[in-house]
Short mmCIF file of all heavy atoms in Angstrom, two decimals:
data_model
loop_
_atom_site.label_atom_id
_atom_site.label_comp_id
_atom_site.label_asym_id
_atom_site.label_seq_id
_atom_site.Cartn_x
_atom_site.Cartn_y
_atom_site.Cartn_z
N LEU A 173 -1.71 -1.43 -14.78
CA LEU A 173 -1.76 0.03 -14.71
C LEU A 173 -3.12 0.53 -14.31
O LEU A 173 -3.31 1.38 -13.47
CB LEU A 173 -1.33 0.67 -16.07
CG LEU A 173 -1.42 2.21 -16.07
CD1 LEU A 173 -0.60 2.89 -15.05
CD2 LEU A 173 -1.05 2.63 -17.51
N GLU A 174 -4.18 -0.12 -14.86
CA GLU A 174 -5.55 0.21 -14.54
C GLU A 174 -5.80 -0.05 -13.06
O GLU A 174 -6.40 0.75 -12.34
CB GLU A 174 -6.56 -0.53 -15.40
CG GLU A 174 -8.00 -0.25 -14.99
CD GLU A 174 -8.99 -0.80 -15.96
OE1 GLU A 174 -8.60 -1.53 -16.87
OE2 GLU A 174 -10.20 -0.51 -15.85
N SER A 175 -5.37 -1.26 -12.57
CA SER A 175 -5.65 -1.55 -11.21
C SER A 175 -4.93 -0.58 -10.25
O SER A 175 -5.45 -0.19 -9.21
CB SER A 175 -5.20 -3.02 -10.86
OG SER A 175 -3.81 -3.13 -10.64
N THR A 176 -3.70 -0.24 -10.68
CA THR A 176 -2.93 0.73 -9.83
C THR A 176 -3.58 2.14 -9.78
O THR A 176 -3.74 2.76 -8.78
CB THR A 176 -1.54 0.85 -10.38
OG1 THR A 176 -0.92 -0.45 -10.36
CG2 THR A 176 -0.67 1.83 -9.57
N LEU A 177 -4.08 2.56 -10.98
CA LEU A 177 -4.73 3.91 -11.03
C LEU A 177 -6.02 3.86 -10.23
O LEU A 177 -6.37 4.85 -9.49
CB LEU A 177 -5.01 4.27 -12.50
CG LEU A 177 -3.72 4.65 -13.31
CD1 LEU A 177 -4.16 4.92 -14.78
CD2 LEU A 177 -3.03 5.88 -12.73
N ARG A 178 -6.76 2.80 -10.33
CA ARG A 178 -7.98 2.65 -9.55
C ARG A 178 -7.75 2.70 -8.08
O ARG A 178 -8.44 3.37 -7.33
CB ARG A 178 -8.76 1.39 -9.96
CG ARG A 178 -9.47 1.52 -11.32
CD ARG A 178 -10.12 0.14 -11.62
NE ARG A 178 -10.95 0.21 -12.84
CZ ARG A 178 -12.25 0.49 -12.91
NH1 ARG A 178 -12.91 0.77 -11.79
NH2 ARG A 178 -12.86 0.53 -14.02
N PHE A 179 -6.72 1.96 -7.62
CA PHE A 179 -6.33 2.04 -6.23
C PHE A 179 -5.93 3.45 -5.76
O PHE A 179 -6.41 3.96 -4.78
CB PHE A 179 -5.26 1.01 -5.90
CG PHE A 179 -4.65 1.14 -4.56
CD1 PHE A 179 -5.40 0.77 -3.43
CD2 PHE A 179 -3.41 1.61 -4.32
CE1 PHE A 179 -4.86 0.89 -2.15
CE2 PHE A 179 -2.81 1.76 -3.11
CZ PHE A 179 -3.55 1.41 -1.97
N LEU A 180 -5.00 4.02 -6.49
CA LEU A 180 -4.41 5.30 -6.03
C LEU A 180 -5.39 6.46 -6.12
O LEU A 180 -5.33 7.34 -5.31
CB LEU A 180 -3.17 5.63 -6.89
CG LEU A 180 -2.04 4.66 -6.75
CD1 LEU A 180 -0.89 5.07 -7.71
CD2 LEU A 180 -1.52 4.63 -5.31
N LEU A 181 -6.34 6.38 -7.01
CA LEU A 181 -7.39 7.49 -7.12
C LEU A 181 -8.45 7.38 -6.07
O LEU A 181 -9.08 8.31 -5.68
CB LEU A 181 -7.98 7.48 -8.54
CG LEU A 181 -7.09 7.98 -9.63
CD1 LEU A 181 -7.80 7.79 -11.00
CD2 LEU A 181 -6.80 9.50 -9.51
N SER A 182 -8.70 6.13 -5.63
CA SER A 182 -9.80 5.87 -4.74
C SER A 182 -9.51 6.16 -3.32
O SER A 182 -8.42 6.41 -2.95
CB SER A 182 -10.26 4.38 -4.88
OG SER A 182 -9.30 3.56 -4.22
N GLY A 183 -10.55 6.06 -2.42
CA GLY A 183 -10.33 6.18 -1.00
C GLY A 183 -9.57 5.02 -0.39
O GLY A 183 -9.13 5.11 0.81
N ARG A 184 -9.32 3.93 -1.15
CA ARG A 184 -8.57 2.83 -0.58
C ARG A 184 -7.16 3.24 -0.26
O ARG A 184 -6.52 2.61 0.59
CB ARG A 184 -8.51 1.68 -1.60
CG ARG A 184 -9.83 1.13 -2.00
CD ARG A 184 -9.70 0.08 -3.14
NE ARG A 184 -10.91 -0.35 -3.76
CZ ARG A 184 -11.59 -1.47 -3.47
NH1 ARG A 184 -11.07 -2.24 -2.45
NH2 ARG A 184 -12.66 -1.76 -4.09
N SER A 185 -6.65 4.22 -0.88
CA SER A 185 -5.22 4.67 -0.75
C SER A 185 -5.05 5.89 0.22
O SER A 185 -4.07 6.63 0.09
CB SER A 185 -4.57 4.98 -2.07
OG SER A 185 -5.28 6.08 -2.72
N ALA A 186 -6.00 6.07 1.11
CA ALA A 186 -6.08 7.30 1.93
C ALA A 186 -4.75 7.52 2.66
O ALA A 186 -4.37 8.69 2.85
CB ALA A 186 -7.23 7.21 2.91
N TYR A 187 -4.09 6.49 3.13
CA TYR A 187 -2.88 6.68 4.00
C TYR A 187 -1.63 6.30 3.28
O TYR A 187 -0.57 6.06 3.85
CB TYR A 187 -3.08 5.85 5.24
CG TYR A 187 -2.29 6.36 6.45
CD1 TYR A 187 -2.42 7.64 6.97
CD2 TYR A 187 -1.31 5.56 7.07
CE1 TYR A 187 -1.75 8.10 8.07
CE2 TYR A 187 -0.58 5.96 8.17
CZ TYR A 187 -0.76 7.24 8.68
OH TYR A 187 -0.03 7.67 9.72
N VAL A 188 -1.68 6.21 1.93
CA VAL A 188 -0.49 5.87 1.11
C VAL A 188 -0.07 7.14 0.32
O VAL A 188 -0.87 7.73 -0.43
CB VAL A 188 -0.82 4.78 0.17
CG1 VAL A 188 0.40 4.52 -0.80
CG2 VAL A 188 -1.26 3.49 0.86
N SER A 189 1.07 7.64 0.62
CA SER A 189 1.59 8.84 -0.10
C SER A 189 3.08 8.83 -0.21
O SER A 189 3.82 8.27 0.62
CB SER A 189 1.04 10.10 0.64
OG SER A 189 1.31 11.29 -0.15
N GLY A 190 3.54 9.55 -1.28
CA GLY A 190 5.01 9.67 -1.48
C GLY A 190 5.64 8.35 -1.92
O GLY A 190 6.83 8.21 -1.80
#
Side-chain angles (χ1 to χ4, degrees):
L173 175 59
E174 179 172 7
S175 79
T176 301
L177 291 175
R178 283 178 176 269
F179 169 70
L180 295 177
L181 288 172
S182 74
R184 299 174 190 264
S185 62
Y187 203 62
V188 176
S189 189

